[in-house]
Amino acid sequence: MITCKKAGPLIEKEEFEKLSLMKKIGLKLHLAWCKLCKGYKKDSTHLNELIKVGDTSQSTMKLSQAEKSEIKEKLVQ
Amino acid sequence: MPNVEQAIDTSGWVDDYSDMLYNFALTRVNDHELAKDLVQDTFVSALKGIDKFQGKSTVKTWLFSILKRKVIDHWRKQESRKTKPMSSLGTDSETGEQKVIERQNKGAVSEIEVDYENKELRTAIMGCIQDLPEKWKGIVIDKLVEERKSEEVCKEHDITPSNLWVIIHRAKIQLKNCLQQKWFDS
């Protein structure tokens, strides 16, 4: 039986990668009786979605032409 | 004697690379002026050390490697300025455990709607990421924000795969608490 300490990182890994069969079963069993980890698993998926909102490349922010010229000027000095 | 090294044309660098460098920096420092300064410093360092660039990698890779170091330097400075222990973890010694309990009643992270247009949400999330320990920040941004491959992230940060998920897990618990506090307290 795996502990909460082991289950936490496995919950994270499972969001991105396949777990080995043993780990998959171990985690499933753990989640079946541990309410805390089961609750975290729900939050965890949502949290990953929320964190992606922080990606600025989604909105491709740019430097203004004036700011670019300013950098160019500094480089000439 | 002609120079063995090929002269590199640097005149188009700012036009070609500044936006991508700026985006990279902005995601990591969450401050326009600071991100702009880091990009500028990157170009300055690059031109100063141009003789060290031997064309082993592309100009883009090389510029990014300089910028990454500058971002980490900034995080280290930021970390050394931190006086409080990580308050978002609720381990604040002055207020004690009570704060943790109090916080739990305010609202759950699952109630926060995922909305890419919501600037306040972006600010809150980026703020919470900035509060993470310096060593975790880059890992969290690379893996969770930019969703890069795990092998790549491990290699870049010199950690083992199992270490990666332990760090991600601890960081996410801190982010969860921080977000709940930032979102529901204001």
Side-chain angles (χ1 to χ4, degrees):
Chain A
M1 195 60 86
I2 64 169
T3 58
C4 291
K5 208 178 159 188
K6 287 248 167 71
L10 285 180
I11 291 171
E12 309 301 350
K13 189 178 177 183
E14 207 186 22
E15 304 251 4
F16 295 92
E17 286 161 27
K18 258 191 147 168
L19 297 182
S20 70
L21 191 63
M22 283 303 286
K23 282 184 177 152
K24 208 174 160 179
I25 294 169
L27 181 61
K28 265 221 161 106
L29 282 174
H30 181 86
L31 293 177
W33 63 265
C34 178
K35 279 201 177 131
L36 222 63
C37 285
K38 200 177 169 187
Y40 176 75
K41 190 179 153 66
K42 265 193 196 159
D43 283 344
S44 169
T45 311
H46 191 66
L47 209 51
N48 281 355
E49 292 299 316
L50 282 172
I51 291 167
K52 270 189 274 173
V53 176
D55 191 0
T56 48
S57 62
Q58 305 269 358
S59 51
T60 50
M61 312 240 191
K62 283 180 178 162
L63 288 170
S64 66
Q65 280 308 322
E67 285 166 329
K68 284 180 193 169
S69 306
E70 206 181 292
I71 294 177
K72 284 181 196 164
E73 269 167 42
K74 283 260 165 64
L75 293 180
V76 177
Q77 288 166 16
Chain B
M1 279 286 276
N3 200 333
V4 192
E5 284 163 46
Q6 231 184 318
I8 303 166
D9 180 22
T10 59
S11 59
W13 280 11
V14 174
D15 288 321
D16 290 345
Y17 303 113
S18 62
D19 283 332
M20 50 181 126
L21 291 168
Y22 170 70
N23 255 293
F24 179 92
L26 186 63
T27 306
R28 283 158 181 80
V29 300
N30 194 30
D31 181 287
H32 166 74
E33 282 300 317
L34 187 59
K36 193 185 80 182
D37 287 348
L38 287 171
V39 171
Q40 184 175 301
D41 290 351
T42 299
F43 286 123
V44 170
S45 299
L47 292 183
K48 259 192 211 156
I50 193 111
D51 47 328
K52 279 182 223 138
F53 176 68
Q54 294 152 335
K56 278 181 192 159
S57 59
T58 62
V59 171
K60 185 178 149 188
T61 308
W62 186 56
L63 289 173
F64 269 100
S65 72
I66 296 171
L67 177 59
K68 277 178 200 168
R69 253 177 291 148
K70 298 211 178 283
V71 168
I72 292 171
D73 283 347
H74 164 72
W75 283 344
R76 294 211 173 123
K77 269 185 229 152
Q78 201 181 31
E79 184 111 322
S80 62
R81 277 197 302 265
K82 270 187 204 167
T83 45
K84 275 196 295 181
M86 284 167 271
S87 56
S88 47
L89 265 180
T91 47
D92 209 318
S93 57
E94 292 161 38
T95 41
E97 288 164 33
Q98 211 136 32
K99 214 168 176 181
V100 182
I101 298 159
E102 194 185 306
R103 226 175 259 165
Q104 278 172 347
N105 299 330
K106 290 238 161 124
V109 76
S110 56
E111 292 163 31
I112 308 174
E113 194 196 337
V114 178
D115 177 6
Y116 282 87
E117 304 303 314
N118 191 335
K119 285 211 176 93
E120 271 172 52
L121 179 63
R122 245 209 86 227
T123 308
I125 290 166
M126 298 305 279
C128 286
I129 291 177
Q130 288 304 308
D131 284 347
L132 290 173
E134 173 245 319
K135 289 226 158 65
W136 296 356
K137 243 184 258 186
I139 296 168
V140 164
I141 291 168
D142 288 347
K143 186 65 215 171
L144 297 179
V145 180
E146 296 184 343
E147 295 195 291
R148 286 170 53 196
K149 283 198 182 128
S150 302
E151 303 92 77
E152 250 179 65
V153 179
C154 288
K155 204 176 152 198
E156 176 146 354
H157 295 276
D158 196 24
I159 50 169
T160 64
S162 64
N163 219 331
L164 170 69
W165 302 115
V166 172
I167 291 169
I168 292 286
H169 184 57
R170 291 192 187 152
K172 271 172 69 180
I173 289 174
Q174 187 178 327
L175 286 174
K176 185 184 146 192
N177 291 333
C178 173
L179 219 62
Q180 280 171 181
Q181 188 192 0
K182 273 210 166 100
W183 199 249
F184 295 107
D185 281 3
S186 55

